Amino acid sequence: MSSTAEPDSVRRNCRAARESSPRSARVVTVTPSSCPGVSRASEEAAITELDPPVGAHDHVAGPLEAELTLVEFGDFECPYCRDAAPVIDEVRAQLGERLRFVFRQFPLYEVHPHALAAATASEMAALEGRFWPMHSSLYAPGPPRLTQPDLREHALAAGVDPERVVWPATRLVEDRVEADFNAGVRSGVRGTPTLFVNGVPHRGDVTVRALVAALTA
């Protein structure tokens, strides 16, 4: 969390700005795994296959032609995604050039009120070739810091103009976030993080050992 609280007027203005966008309004949550009444079994049964497959439209860390592929549908405000981030970093370190890691946006806006703004901020950084530095900064250890002032600070850390990562500049990439979200819906994603290992839904633990074993099986 930011060490300095945002004034109420700023919070109201930021929320009004986000909600005024018709595209942003369509990026809404599906039932997350933490919601009552949704069993893990039914959630897993809904996940089918990755649609679309990994391609030129994706954010890819690692060789494009790597033999192993790990895809995450993630939310920058989700505590489980934040816990998974260092695990995935270690998996990438262990597998090196054998692995390509792909991140797709799945902001659960109704559950995490700052997730959509963080997603669009990262996409604006991507336009300047700085998606992965922004991704790393947004997932830095500790509580999420995702207010508009925080996003400006993350942009500076990632080498991006801070005014480029906040509304209204971020309207430019709302369609990009929506496309990832819709890809998740088509793929059966209902919560975050959802991982696909070599194109197949990962149903095991999100640990270094489990992910390395699944990837190399």
Side-chain angles (χ1 to χ4, degrees):
M1 296 176 64
S2 175
S3 59
T4 302
E6 273 188 288
D8 289 343
S9 61
V10 173
R11 286 199 296 270
R12 286 195 297 270
N13 289 340
C14 289
R15 181 178 179 183
R18 290 195 301 271
E19 292 181 349
S20 68
S21 166
R23 294 194 184 99
S24 294
R26 295 202 299 271
V27 183
V28 295
T29 182
V30 289
T31 305
S33 57
S34 58
C35 274
V38 179
S39 71
R40 183 67 180 173
S42 64
E43 190 173 307
E44 289 182 347
I47 300 175
T48 53
E49 60 183 18
L50 194 61
D51 179 14
V54 174
H57 56 282
D58 280 306
H59 302 301
V60 180
L64 291 176
E65 303 303 322
E67 62 180 297
L68 309 174
T69 302
L70 177 64
V71 177
E72 176 187 4
F73 283 90
D75 171 319
F76 288 109
E77 197 170 358
C78 169
Y80 305 108
C81 293
R82 300 184 67 80
D83 288 344
V87 172
I88 292 171
D89 286 345
E90 179 59 27
V91 171
R92 292 175 56 197
Q94 288 195 20
L95 296 177
E97 297 295 293
R98 298 177 62 193
L99 177 70
R100 60 179 181 176
F101 171 56
V102 177
F103 185 87
R104 291 182 177 177
Q105 310 281 0
F106 204 77
L108 299 173
Y109 175 76
E110 291 180 356
V111 180
H112 304 136
H114 300 99
L116 180 55
T120 54
S122 69
E123 293 299 335
M124 290 300 291
L127 294 181
E128 301 183 26
R130 306 297 293 169
F131 176 80
W132 291 108
M134 190 70 167
H135 174 278
S136 295
S137 187
L138 290 168
Y139 273 142
R145 298 173 49 252
L146 303 175
T147 65
Q148 298 286 287
D150 290 332
L151 294 177
R152 290 184 175 93
E153 290 181 15
H154 289 301
L156 287 172
V160 179
D161 178 353
E163 295 308 312
R164 293 273 289 164
V165 303
V166 294
W167 201 93
T170 52
R171 288 181 296 185
L172 184 63
V173 293
E174 288 172 351
D175 280 343
R176 176 65 173 80
V177 174
E178 186 180 2
D180 269 8
F181 187 90
N182 289 339
V185 172
R186 289 194 305 275
S187 302
V189 175
R190 302 184 68 192
T192 55
T194 293
L195 303 175
F196 286 78
V197 169
N198 300 324
V200 177
H202 177 66
R203 306 189 190 281
D205 294 333
V206 182
T207 64
V208 174
R209 177 177 294 182
L211 287 173
V212 169
L215 283 159
T216 59

